[in-house]
Amino acid sequence: MRILMLAQFYPPVIGGEERHVRNLSIALARRGHSVTVATTWQCGLEEGDIDDGVCIRRLRGSMQRVGLLFSDASRRYAPPFPDPELMYGIRELVLEQSPDIVHAHNWLLHSYLPLKRESGPGLVVTLHDLSLVCVQKNAMRQGAPCEGPAPGKCLRCASRFYGPVKGGATLLGNYLFGALERRVVDKFLAVSEAIAIGNSLSEAGLPFEVVPNFVPDDFGLARPCDDPRLSQLPGDGYLLFVGDLRRFKGVHVLLEAYAMLDNAPPLVLIGRRCPDTPRELPPNVILFESWPHDAVMQAWRNSLFGLAPSILPDACASVVLEAMVVGKPMIATKVGGMPELIDDEVTGLLVPPGDAAALAKAIGHLIGNPELRRRMSAAAHKKVQSFKASTVVPRIEQIYSDIVGHRTPQPHAELDRGHDRFRENRLI
């Protein structure tokens, strides 16, 4: 099949969602499919590239040209409404490649929706967050879980998060094109039951399946890594947090909990600094910014266990899978998709979100029980087998096949006429 992926970011811009898109694209290419990823151009990157058999096309967008719209110049997001240049670039790719499936992963989808035709390619959308019901994508309001959407409440929340003007436009765009998304998507793939429930997919009668994130089959195999950053790590047996160093990720709660412990191993934080990253760290806490992935995996191997104390409902945390694949237990919060990844008291420990005392107690319990860690390590390594590419990717292939099999193919002559009409009416 010919598959066009739509993802606003792609490595080297990195994060859990970006790794998932790359892993899926490469796995599909290795299974014989023709895969192109359309993503937004970011400063310093080539417009075209080949990544392990996957064609990468970086598209320039009108909104991306206005740097003042973005708090982080290195992550210029796709807007929740059609961007004229992105829509034009996607249209060119569709006409050039005639994909069987368009598989979208975030708001870049909204620049494709006006191009969607009944006789065109099938449309699959992976939901990595709660963007169908929440303009912030995380159903959090003033640092606590939101009880549900309401026009006035959502407008105030969007205005606080994005700013008054940008917030209103973002809310309106997400509402209008979210409604269109519900009408035209052939199948939603929710990365966890929590995401399916949070987006009200079943209540709305939308076609969906729960298909989790995954790791490549050879992921976690020990590979030589001579990155000089590794020499900065303390000796084996430290505690490890990997991810954006944000309040929503529970970093403040983690530091508070760690300060309650006596004679604990060092705590290592690896992630991207953000505006709400703590400025002061307790003794014995070491922070490293945005390491390359191979170095992060080596850091996991040398750690005692991992920590994922998120306050927001993480969808299907890739860091948990990465820790499990090298046999590391995790202490995480009982929110979002975490309970679907971690079996409490079996592969790790689950604690209430935002509860520093409970987190400190769980950390102390695991530090003091090496036999429990050994059992959890074995159980974690066993469980992660169901999150390998060889298990998950065939499910996605079957979804593609089912959609393509139920669609009426467009005759090649009509496709050719469509190409000619497009070229005669090219946008300037």
Side-chain angles (χ1 to χ4, degrees):
M1 278 185 279
R2 297 182 299 276
I3 301 160
L4 175 62
M5 292 278 177
L6 302 180
Q8 63 187 352
F9 300 133
Y10 189 87
V13 179
I14 201 64
E17 183 176 317
E18 290 75 38
R19 280 197 294 275
H20 173 79
V21 173
R22 181 175 188 267
N23 289 341
L24 176 58
S25 300
I26 291 173
L28 289 167
R30 289 177 178 174
R31 294 171 73 89
H33 303 286
S34 173
V35 184
T36 297
V37 177
T39 185
T40 57
W41 178 83
Q42 304 293 324
C43 186
L45 299 180
E46 297 290 334
E47 293 189 0
D49 201 359
I50 300 295
D51 180 20
D52 207 345
V54 177
C55 178
I56 311 301
R57 301 285 286 272
R58 296 186 176 92
L59 310 177
R60 294 178 184 266
S62 303
M63 297 296 103
Q64 276 72 23
R65 296 180 186 275
V66 187
L68 294 177
L69 290 176
F70 306 94
S71 58
D72 185 347
S74 66
R75 297 175 76 89
R76 300 190 179 196
Y77 294 84
F81 44 81
D83 179 295
E85 286 184 84
L86 290 176
M87 188 167 68
Y88 172 75
I90 294 170
R91 188 185 185 199
E92 275 200 317
L93 281 175
V94 171
L95 289 174
E96 172 191 313
Q97 302 192 9
S98 301
D100 301 299
I101 290 288
V102 173
H103 189 160
H105 293 267
N106 40 52
W107 277 345
L108 188 55
L109 163 70
H110 292 181
S111 290
Y112 171 72
L113 289 178
L115 309 173
K116 177 76 165 63
R117 298 293 181 267
E118 183 63 31
S119 58
L123 179 57
V124 174
V125 173
T126 291
L127 294 172
H128 299 268
D129 51 41
L130 301 176
S131 55
L132 271 182
V133 296
C134 176
V135 71
Q136 286 187 197
K137 303 186 179 185
N138 55 25
M140 297 290 290
R141 183 168 183 264
Q142 297 180 331
C146 179
E147 295 178 354
K153 182 172 67 173
C154 290
L155 179 59
R156 289 190 295 273
C157 201
S159 298
R160 280 194 297 267
F161 189 74
Y162 295 105
V165 176
K166 194 165 65 170
T170 302
L171 179 65
L172 180 61
N174 195 46
Y175 174 77
L176 293 175
F177 287 91
L180 179 58
E181 183 179 347
R182 290 177 177 88
R183 290 202 301 272
V184 303
V185 170
D186 292 295
K187 180 66 72 78
F188 288 98
L189 309 185
V191 297
S192 64
E193 290 282 356
I195 289 298
I197 293 169
N199 280 297
S200 302
L201 299 182
S202 182
E203 294 175 23
L206 298 174
F208 77 95
E209 288 189 33
V210 175
V211 181
N213 291 341
F214 65 90
V215 292
D217 286 4
D218 61 353
F219 195 71
L221 297 178
R223 297 186 179 92
C225 183
D226 56 358
D227 194 297
R229 298 173 183 84
L230 294 170
S231 65
Q232 304 173 54
L233 289 169
D236 292 358
Y238 50 84
L239 316 181
L240 182 59
F241 169 95
V242 175
D244 284 350
L245 304 170
R246 301 198 60 189
R247 182 175 292 272
F248 281 165
K249 291 292 185 179
V251 173
H252 293 71
V253 179
L254 173 57
L255 295 180
E256 183 183 348
Y258 185 76
M260 297 178 184
L261 300 170
D262 294 323
N263 302 316
L267 170 61
V268 174
L269 312 175
I270 302 177
R272 184 170 63 99
R273 281 187 182 271
C274 302
D276 57 353
T277 298
R279 296 181 180 276
E280 296 185 6
L281 302 176
N284 222 22
V285 176
I286 308 165
L287 188 155
F288 302 113
E289 287 192 61
S290 302
W291 279 16
H293 196 243
D294 285 348
V296 171
M297 290 308 300
Q298 189 59 50
W300 277 122
R301 292 186 186 95
N302 297 343
S303 68
L304 200 63
F305 55 83
L307 298 153
S310 290
I311 297 172
L312 63 79
D314 273 320
C316 183
S318 295
V319 293
V320 173
L321 298 178
E322 291 174 0
M324 291 170 66
V325 84
V326 294
K328 298 300 175 181
M330 290 291 293
I331 298 177
T333 43
K334 198 180 299 185
V335 292
M338 292 294 194
E340 299 171 49
L341 300 177
I342 299 169
D343 297 326
D344 194 21
E345 300 284 352
V346 177
T347 64
L349 299 174
L350 295 172
V351 299
D355 191 333
L359 180 57
K361 182 179 179 181
I363 294 172
H365 180 58
L366 215 49
I367 290 172
N369 287 272
E371 177 57 26
L372 177 61
R373 293 199 308 270
R374 187 195 64 76
R375 292 199 305 271
M376 286 183 170
S377 175
H381 191 267
K382 181 179 179 180
K383 177 163 184 174
V384 82
Q385 303 309 309
S386 62
F387 295 93
K388 290 289 186 74
S390 56
T391 300
V392 178
V393 175
R395 292 182 57 196
I396 297 175
E397 279 183 310
Q398 187 59 54
I399 290 167
Y400 292 167
S401 296
D402 291 345
I403 291 172
V404 171
H406 284 86
R407 300 185 73 79
T408 302
Q410 188 174 3
H412 290 293
E414 180 61 28
L415 275 174
D416 293 339
R417 286 195 293 272
H419 287 210
D420 292 340
R421 285 195 300 271
F422 171 65
R423 292 186 175 95
E424 290 171 2
N425 300 286
R426 289 176 71 91
L427 299 175
I428 298 174

